[in-house]
Amino acid sequence: MEYLSMVFLQVVAPILIMLMIGAWLQWKFSFNLKALSNLITYCLMPAAVFINIYETEVNAGILGSITLYLLIFSACLMVVSWLLGKLLKLEKKQSAIFSNSIVLINSGNYGIPVSQMLFYANPLGTSIQIIIVIFQNIMTYTYGLYNLISTTKSGLDILKSLFRLPLVHALIIGALMNYWNIGIPISLRIPIDYLANAFISIALITLGAQLAQLNIKTIFNKLILFSTFGRLIIGPLLAFGLITLMGLDGVVAQSLFIASAFPTSRNSSTLALEYDVEPNLAAQIVLFSTVVSCLTVTVVIYLSNIWWG
């Protein structure tokens, strides 16, 4: 019960409060959700990703092990989402949303606070979570974006759309500046920090505004339930098997195992809204998986302490 209350009060409750604020504002003012989505995708998110990549420092050996794990883990989740999608006989757009909901994880505004709370005495835990955030951003704007725009565009159009995204430029520039240890002029650093700090709050308010337009009666359909099962149950089971096979231990094992239990990424909903691919379904999955994760994350944290603490 102690872990349950800590995770809920310090992570889930703040997220839900922000969603409720967004819903209330939408009911009162009827925001232009497309404009808000563009603000996030083309301005706030690139700034946040750039800062994360630019400031991340981690041992090369650990980085290699974590990267290998993340590649295999993500590939396994892709296979799981494909198999479950075939089982449910989903149409193309629903299949895209379903796959993203299992593969794309909320490792940013959910995962980082959890890591900071659990590993306050060991910075490595938080550093690992930042690596996962970067990896998930790359996944979102490669695999996740491909799933959505492949429903309406050709392969060449997908490639063009990907490389036009400011976030891709932010990833490359941030990595190069990190590697070469290039400083940022204060006149640029201050506005970038302002934009990066605004990302989470605006993104959650936008998601809440989306949710305000939903018919809650549809939230318990089988697609949403299967999606949540894949993300919150199958994900940690795969992670445990992979961590065991790779012989990972200690804080690295704990961090990766806990991260596998986080809910569906909010970015999957933002992208669905941006490209108008089942945005209501995507928002419902994010909401439902976030609420249910209060229990699953608690159990995973408890198990990680027993096995690797």
Side-chain angles (χ1 to χ4, degrees), residues 39-57:
L39 173 64
I40 294 168
T41 303
Y42 293 96
C43 185
L44 303 183
M45 191 181 297
V49 170
F50 171 81
I51 290 298
N52 275 333
I53 293 177
Y54 180 72
E55 295 184 340
T56 297
E57 295 182 9

Side-chain angles (χ1 to χ4, degrees), residues 121-174:
N122 192 334
L124 177 60
T126 302
S127 296
I128 291 171
Q129 187 57 46
I130 291 174
I131 294 170
I132 296 172
V133 170
I134 295 170
F135 182 85
Q136 278 293 316
N137 277 318
I138 295 171
M139 285 291 298
T140 298
Y141 283 90
T142 52
Y143 175 80
L145 182 61
Y146 172 81
N147 278 336
L148 295 180
I149 60 182
S150 65
T151 62
T152 57
K153 296 185 179 182
S154 68
L156 182 59
D157 289 334
I158 292 169
L159 192 61
K160 290 179 179 178
S161 297
L162 178 62
F163 282 100
R164 279 199 298 262
L165 285 172
L167 184 136
V168 175
H169 306 153
L171 284 169
I172 296 170
I173 295 170

